[in-house]
Amino acid sequence: MGLGGGIILGGRALAGAGGYAGEIGHMSINPRGRMCRCGRRGCWETEIGEDAVLRATGKAPGTTMAEIVAAHAAGDPVVRRGLNQVGRWLGMGVADLVNIFNPDVVIFGGDTRQLFEVTEPVVRAALHTALAAPNEHVRLTHPGLGADSSLLGAAELAFAPLLRNPLATQGAPAAAG
Ligand SMILES: [Zn+2]
C-alpha cells in the first residue's frame, strides 16, 4: 500500500501545479534502503509502508496492522523490534517534514496512526534530529475521526461542491473531482 500525505497551509490543501503535491511517500530517506516502485531507493514508503511493516515484523502478507499491533501488545519481541525499526524511519521522515514546513501539527492517519501509537517514544526520539525550533513547536497527534478518517475525508471532498452551493449542482450527476 502506498503512503501519501495532505499538506494544509492556511486552511487549504496544498495541491501543487498539477495536483500531485503531498507525495511524501517518495521522499528518499534511506540511501541503503530497498528499491521503490517509483525507481528511487529508500523512499519513505519502502521504509514504513505496509510491506516494510510486514518485512520488519516477520509477518506474512495479508497480516493486518491490527494483528501486528496485538502481537506488539502481547510482547512479541520480533514484532516489537521490527515496529521500533519502522518507527525510527517514521520519525526520520517526520523530521524532514518538520524542517521543511514548520507545521503546527502532524496528524498520523491510516496505518501510520497505529504505527505511531505503538512506537511514539521511538518516533519522538528520531524527531529530535529535526531543527530545534520547529521541533519544539510541532504537535504530533491522531486524526479526530479515528480509523475512518481517510474515508470520511474522501467522502467530504466528493460532497464539498454540493454542500458549498446546493442549487448549482441540482440535477447534475454526482462527480468527485
Ligand atoms: Zn518512491
Side-chain angles (χ1 to χ4, degrees):
M1 189 187 286
L3 175 75
I7 298 155
I8 312 297
L9 286 174
R12 301 179 70 92
L14 181 72
Y20 297 107
E23 288 289 357
I24 56 175
H26 298 285
M27 297 191 295
S28 183
I29 65 163
N30 180 7
R32 286 181 290 186
R34 299 172 81 91
M35 286 305 296
C36 179
R37 61 194 168 94
C38 77
R40 305 182 80 195
R41 184 177 288 281
C43 284
W44 206 17
E45 181 176 302
T46 69
E47 303 302 326
I48 73 163
E50 187 178 320
D51 287 349
V53 170
L54 293 173
R55 230 176 14 249
T57 56
K59 295 294 179 189
T63 309
T64 65
M65 194 63 189
E67 289 166 336
I68 293 171
V69 167
H72 182 276
D76 183 324
V78 175
V79 169
R80 283 187 169 242
R81 206 164 40 244
L83 284 184
N84 280 342
Q85 177 194 324
V86 176
R88 259 191 302 280
W89 287 120
L90 176 61
M92 295 296 284
V94 173
D96 282 347
L97 295 174
V98 164
N99 281 343
I100 296 166
F101 293 106
N102 183 198
D104 285 318
V105 60
V106 173
I107 303 171
F108 296 94
D111 279 353
T112 64
R113 180 180 62 87
Q114 289 168 295
L115 180 60
F116 172 63
E117 279 171 7
V118 294
T119 63
E120 184 171 342
V122 176
V123 172
R124 288 189 183 278
L127 187 55
H128 276 104
T129 60
L131 297 173
N135 184 28
E136 283 166 15
H137 180 84
V138 70
R139 193 162 54 86
L140 309 182
T141 189
H142 325 120
L145 297 171
D148 290 333
S149 59
S150 306
L151 200 59
L152 290 168
E156 183 144 325
L157 197 63
F159 276 108
L162 176 68
L163 295 173
R164 203 164 38 237
N165 189 352
L167 294 177
T169 52
Q170 204 170 36

mmCIF file with all atom_site columns, all heavy atoms in Angstrom, residues 114-127:
data_model
loop_
_atom_site.group_PDB
_atom_site.id
_atom_site.type_symbol
_atom_site.label_atom_id
_atom_site.label_alt_id
_atom_site.label_comp_id
_atom_site.label_asym_id
_atom_site.label_entity_id
_atom_site.label_seq_id
_atom_site.pdbx_PDB_ins_code
_atom_site.Cartn_x
_atom_site.Cartn_y
_atom_site.Cartn_z
_atom_site.occupancy
_atom_site.B_iso_or_equiv
_atom_site.pdbx_formal_charge
_atom_site.auth_seq_id
_atom_site.auth_comp_id
_atom_site.auth_asym_id
_atom_site.auth_atom_id
_atom_site.pdbx_PDB_model_num
ATOM 1   N N   . GLN A 1 114 ? -1.788 3.718  13.812 1.00 0.00 ? 114 GLN A N   1
ATOM 2   C CA  . GLN A 1 114 ? -1.459 2.648  14.762 1.00 0.00 ? 114 GLN A CA  1
ATOM 3   C C   . GLN A 1 114 ? 0.047  2.520  14.952 1.00 0.00 ? 114 GLN A C   1
ATOM 4   O O   . GLN A 1 114 ? 0.523  2.257  16.056 1.00 0.00 ? 114 GLN A O   1
ATOM 5   C CB  . GLN A 1 114 ? -2.052 1.323  14.273 1.00 0.00 ? 114 GLN A CB  1
ATOM 6   C CG  . GLN A 1 114 ? -3.561 1.292  14.391 1.00 0.00 ? 114 GLN A CG  1
ATOM 7   C CD  . GLN A 1 114 ? -4.147 0.125  13.637 1.00 0.00 ? 114 GLN A CD  1
ATOM 8   O OE1 . GLN A 1 114 ? -4.056 0.065  12.408 1.00 0.00 ? 114 GLN A OE1 1
ATOM 9   N NE2 . GLN A 1 114 ? -4.718 -0.812 14.351 1.00 0.00 ? 114 GLN A NE2 1
ATOM 10  N N   . LEU A 1 115 ? 0.775  2.707  13.850 1.00 0.00 ? 115 LEU A N   1
ATOM 11  C CA  . LEU A 1 115 ? 2.237  2.625  13.942 1.00 0.00 ? 115 LEU A CA  1
ATOM 12  C C   . LEU A 1 115 ? 2.755  3.686  14.918 1.00 0.00 ? 115 LEU A C   1
ATOM 13  O O   . LEU A 1 115 ? 3.612  3.395  15.765 1.00 0.00 ? 115 LEU A O   1
ATOM 14  C CB  . LEU A 1 115 ? 2.847  2.823  12.544 1.00 0.00 ? 115 LEU A CB  1
ATOM 15  C CG  . LEU A 1 115 ? 4.368  2.766  12.442 1.00 0.00 ? 115 LEU A CG  1
ATOM 16  C CD1 . LEU A 1 115 ? 4.892  1.410  12.908 1.00 0.00 ? 115 LEU A CD1 1
ATOM 17  C CD2 . LEU A 1 115 ? 4.817  3.044  11.008 1.00 0.00 ? 115 LEU A CD2 1
ATOM 18  N N   . PHE A 1 116 ? 2.213  4.893  14.812 1.00 0.00 ? 116 PHE A N   1
ATOM 19  C CA  . PHE A 1 116 ? 2.631  5.966  15.713 1.00 0.00 ? 116 PHE A CA  1
ATOM 20  C C   . PHE A 1 116 ? 2.246  5.629  17.157 1.00 0.00 ? 116 PHE A C   1
ATOM 21  O O   . PHE A 1 116 ? 3.031  5.841  18.086 1.00 0.00 ? 116 PHE A O   1
ATOM 22  C CB  . PHE A 1 116 ? 2.006  7.293  15.279 1.00 0.00 ? 116 PHE A CB  1
ATOM 23  C CG  . PHE A 1 116 ? 2.227  8.413  16.257 1.00 0.00 ? 116 PHE A CG  1
ATOM 24  C CD1 . PHE A 1 116 ? 3.508  8.857  16.541 1.00 0.00 ? 116 PHE A CD1 1
ATOM 25  C CD2 . PHE A 1 116 ? 1.157  9.004  16.907 1.00 0.00 ? 116 PHE A CD2 1
ATOM 26  C CE1 . PHE A 1 116 ? 3.722  9.883  17.463 1.00 0.00 ? 116 PHE A CE1 1
ATOM 27  C CE2 . PHE A 1 116 ? 1.359  10.030 17.821 1.00 0.00 ? 116 PHE A CE2 1
ATOM 28  C CZ  . PHE A 1 116 ? 2.645  10.464 18.102 1.00 0.00 ? 116 PHE A CZ  1
ATOM 29  N N   . GLU A 1 117 ? 1.049  5.091  17.338 1.00 0.00 ? 117 GLU A N   1
ATOM 30  C CA  . GLU A 1 117 ? 0.587  4.789  18.702 1.00 0.00 ? 117 GLU A CA  1
ATOM 31  C C   . GLU A 1 117 ? 1.525  3.834  19.426 1.00 0.00 ? 117 GLU A C   1
ATOM 32  O O   . GLU A 1 117 ? 1.806  4.010  20.611 1.00 0.00 ? 117 GLU A O   1
ATOM 33  C CB  . GLU A 1 117 ? -0.834 4.204  18.663 1.00 0.00 ? 117 GLU A CB  1
ATOM 34  C CG  . GLU A 1 117 ? -1.906 5.268  18.530 1.00 0.00 ? 117 GLU A CG  1
ATOM 35  C CD  . GLU A 1 117 ? -3.294 4.686  18.280 1.00 0.00 ? 117 GLU A CD  1
ATOM 36  O OE1 . GLU A 1 117 ? -3.456 3.446  18.334 1.00 0.00 ? 117 GLU A OE1 1
ATOM 37  O OE2 . GLU A 1 117 ? -4.193 5.484  18.011 1.00 0.00 ? 117 GLU A OE2 1
ATOM 38  N N   . VAL A 1 118 ? 2.005  2.813  18.710 1.00 0.00 ? 118 VAL A N   1
ATOM 39  C CA  . VAL A 1 118 ? 2.826  1.805  19.399 1.00 0.00 ? 118 VAL A CA  1
ATOM 40  C C   . VAL A 1 118 ? 4.323  2.143  19.398 1.00 0.00 ? 118 VAL A C   1
ATOM 41  O O   . VAL A 1 118 ? 5.093  1.495  20.102 1.00 0.00 ? 118 VAL A O   1
ATOM 42  C CB  . VAL A 1 118 ? 2.610  0.373  18.829 1.00 0.00 ? 118 VAL A CB  1
ATOM 43  C CG1 . VAL A 1 118 ? 1.191  -0.083 19.109 1.00 0.00 ? 118 VAL A CG1 1
ATOM 44  C CG2 . VAL A 1 118 ? 2.938  0.295  17.357 1.00 0.00 ? 118 VAL A CG2 1
ATOM 45  N N   . THR A 1 119 ? 4.729  3.141  18.599 1.00 0.00 ? 119 THR A N   1
ATOM 46  C CA  . THR A 1 119 ? 6.165  3.450  18.552 1.00 0.00 ? 119 THR A CA  1
ATOM 47  C C   . THR A 1 119 ? 6.428  4.919  18.911 1.00 0.00 ? 119 THR A C   1
ATOM 48  O O   . THR A 1 119 ? 7.497  5.443  18.602 1.00 0.00 ? 119 THR A O   1
ATOM 49  C CB  . THR A 1 119 ? 6.754  3.168  17.144 1.00 0.00 ? 119 THR A CB  1
ATOM 50  O OG1 . THR A 1 119 ? 6.116  4.035  16.191 1.00 0.00 ? 119 THR A OG1 1
ATOM 51  C CG2 . THR A 1 119 ? 6.573  1.731  16.726 1.00 0.00 ? 119 THR A CG2 1
ATOM 52  N N   . GLU A 1 120 ? 5.479  5.559  19.567 1.00 0.00 ? 120 GLU A N   1
ATOM 53  C CA  . GLU A 1 120 ? 5.586  7.005  19.817 1.00 0.00 ? 120 GLU A CA  1
ATOM 54  C C   . GLU A 1 120 ? 6.931  7.431  20.435 1.00 0.00 ? 120 GLU A C   1
ATOM 55  O O   . GLU A 1 120 ? 7.532  8.404  19.961 1.00 0.00 ? 120 GLU A O   1
ATOM 56  C CB  . GLU A 1 120 ? 4.414  7.487  20.680 1.00 0.00 ? 120 GLU A CB  1
ATOM 57  C CG  . GLU A 1 120 ? 4.436  8.995  20.875 1.00 0.00 ? 120 GLU A CG  1
ATOM 58  C CD  . GLU A 1 120 ? 3.180  9.547  21.529 1.00 0.00 ? 120 GLU A CD  1
ATOM 59  O OE1 . GLU A 1 120 ? 2.145  8.853  21.545 1.00 0.00 ? 120 GLU A OE1 1
ATOM 60  O OE2 . GLU A 1 120 ? 3.252  10.689 22.031 1.00 0.00 ? 120 GLU A OE2 1
ATOM 61  N N   . PRO A 1 121 ? 7.459  6.735  21.453 1.00 0.00 ? 121 PRO A N   1
ATOM 62  C CA  . PRO A 1 121 ? 8.744  7.179  22.017 1.00 0.00 ? 121 PRO A CA  1
ATOM 63  C C   . PRO A 1 121 ? 9.876  7.146  20.984 1.00 0.00 ? 121 PRO A C   1
ATOM 64  O O   . PRO A 1 121 ? 10.731 8.041  20.955 1.00 0.00 ? 121 PRO A O   1
ATOM 65  C CB  . PRO A 1 121 ? 9.006  6.173  23.148 1.00 0.00 ? 121 PRO A CB  1
ATOM 66  C CG  . PRO A 1 121 ? 7.668  5.595  23.475 1.00 0.00 ? 121 PRO A CG  1
ATOM 67  C CD  . PRO A 1 121 ? 6.907  5.587  22.190 1.00 0.00 ? 121 PRO A CD  1
ATOM 68  N N   . VAL A 1 122 ? 9.866  6.117  20.115 1.00 0.00 ? 122 VAL A N   1
ATOM 69  C CA  . VAL A 1 122 ? 10.899 5.991  19.081 1.00 0.00 ? 122 VAL A CA  1
ATOM 70  C C   . VAL A 1 122 ? 10.739 7.091  18.034 1.00 0.00 ? 122 VAL A C   1
ATOM 71  O O   . VAL A 1 122 ? 11.722 7.688  17.583 1.00 0.00 ? 122 VAL A O   1
ATOM 72  C CB  . VAL A 1 122 ? 10.800 4.587  18.411 1.00 0.00 ? 122 VAL A CB  1
ATOM 73  C CG1 . VAL A 1 122 ? 11.777 4.462  17.272 1.00 0.00 ? 122 VAL A CG1 1
ATOM 74  C CG2 . VAL A 1 122 ? 11.008 3.504  19.434 1.00 0.00 ? 122 VAL A CG2 1
ATOM 75  N N   . VAL A 1 123 ? 9.491  7.357  17.656 1.00 0.00 ? 123 VAL A N   1
ATOM 76  C CA  . VAL A 1 123 ? 9.216  8.419  16.676 1.00 0.00 ? 123 VAL A CA  1
ATOM 77  C C   . VAL A 1 123 ? 9.696  9.754  17.230 1.00 0.00 ? 123 VAL A C   1
ATOM 78  O O   . VAL A 1 123 ? 10.381 10.524 16.546 1.00 0.00 ? 123 VAL A O   1
ATOM 79  C CB  . VAL A 1 123 ? 7.704  8.486  16.345 1.00 0.00 ? 123 VAL A CB  1
ATOM 80  C CG1 . VAL A 1 123 ? 7.391  9.706  15.479 1.00 0.00 ? 123 VAL A CG1 1
ATOM 81  C CG2 . VAL A 1 123 ? 7.252  7.214  15.648 1.00 0.00 ? 123 VAL A CG2 1
ATOM 82  N N   . ARG A 1 124 ? 9.370  10.023 18.480 1.00 0.00 ? 124 ARG A N   1
ATOM 83  C CA  . ARG A 1 124 ? 9.756  11.306 19.093 1.00 0.00 ? 124 ARG A CA  1
ATOM 84  C C   . ARG A 1 124 ? 11.287 11.415 19.222 1.00 0.00 ? 124 ARG A C   1
ATOM 85  O O   . ARG A 1 124 ? 11.850 12.499 19.051 1.00 0.00 ? 124 ARG A O   1
ATOM 86  C CB  . ARG A 1 124 ? 9.086  11.476 20.452 1.00 0.00 ? 124 ARG A CB  1
ATOM 87  C CG  . ARG A 1 124 ? 7.597  11.747 20.323 1.00 0.00 ? 124 ARG A CG  1
ATOM 88  C CD  . ARG A 1 124 ? 6.958  12.128 21.642 1.00 0.00 ? 124 ARG A CD  1
ATOM 89  N NE  . ARG A 1 124 ? 5.527  12.312 21.484 1.00 0.00 ? 124 ARG A NE  1
ATOM 90  C CZ  . ARG A 1 124 ? 4.948  13.430 21.023 1.00 0.00 ? 124 ARG A CZ  1
ATOM 91  N NH1 . ARG A 1 124 ? 5.698  14.470 20.703 1.00 0.00 ? 124 ARG A NH1 1
ATOM 92  N NH2 . ARG A 1 124 ? 3.651  13.519 20.896 1.00 0.00 ? 124 ARG A NH2 1
ATOM 93  N N   . ALA A 1 125 ? 11.943 10.309 19.522 1.00 0.00 ? 125 ALA A N   1
ATOM 94  C CA  . ALA A 1 125 ? 13.411 10.330 19.624 1.00 0.00 ? 125 ALA A CA  1
ATOM 95  C C   . ALA A 1 125 ? 14.023 10.666 18.266 1.00 0.00 ? 125 ALA A C   1
ATOM 96  O O   . ALA A 1 125 ? 14.947 11.482 18.170 1.00 0.00 ? 125 ALA A O   1
ATOM 97  C CB  . ALA A 1 125 ? 13.920 8.983  20.125 1.00 0.00 ? 125 ALA A CB  1
ATOM 98  N N   . ALA A 1 126 ? 13.504 10.043 17.190 1.00 0.00 ? 126 ALA A N   1
ATOM 99  C CA  . ALA A 1 126 ? 14.024 10.308 15.845 1.00 0.00 ? 126 ALA A CA  1
ATOM 100 C C   . ALA A 1 126 ? 13.709 11.734 15.414 1.00 0.00 ? 126 ALA A C   1
ATOM 101 O O   . ALA A 1 126 ? 14.481 12.366 14.688 1.00 0.00 ? 126 ALA A O   1
ATOM 102 C CB  . ALA A 1 126 ? 13.428 9.317  14.840 1.00 0.00 ? 126 ALA A CB  1
ATOM 103 N N   . LEU A 1 127 ? 12.605 12.259 15.888 1.00 0.00 ? 127 LEU A N   1
ATOM 104 C CA  . LEU A 1 127 ? 12.203 13.622 15.531 1.00 0.00 ? 127 LEU A CA  1
ATOM 105 C C   . LEU A 1 127 ? 13.183 14.649 16.087 1.00 0.00 ? 127 LEU A C   1
ATOM 106 O O   . LEU A 1 127 ? 13.267 15.767 15.576 1.00 0.00 ? 127 LEU A O   1
ATOM 107 C CB  . LEU A 1 127 ? 10.789 13.878 16.058 1.00 0.00 ? 127 LEU A CB  1
ATOM 108 C CG  . LEU A 1 127 ? 10.100 15.182 15.650 1.00 0.00 ? 127 LEU A CG  1
ATOM 109 C CD1 . LEU A 1 127 ? 10.070 15.345 14.143 1.00 0.00 ? 127 LEU A CD1 1
ATOM 110 C CD2 . LEU A 1 127 ? 8.692  15.228 16.214 1.00 0.00 ? 127 LEU A CD2 1
#
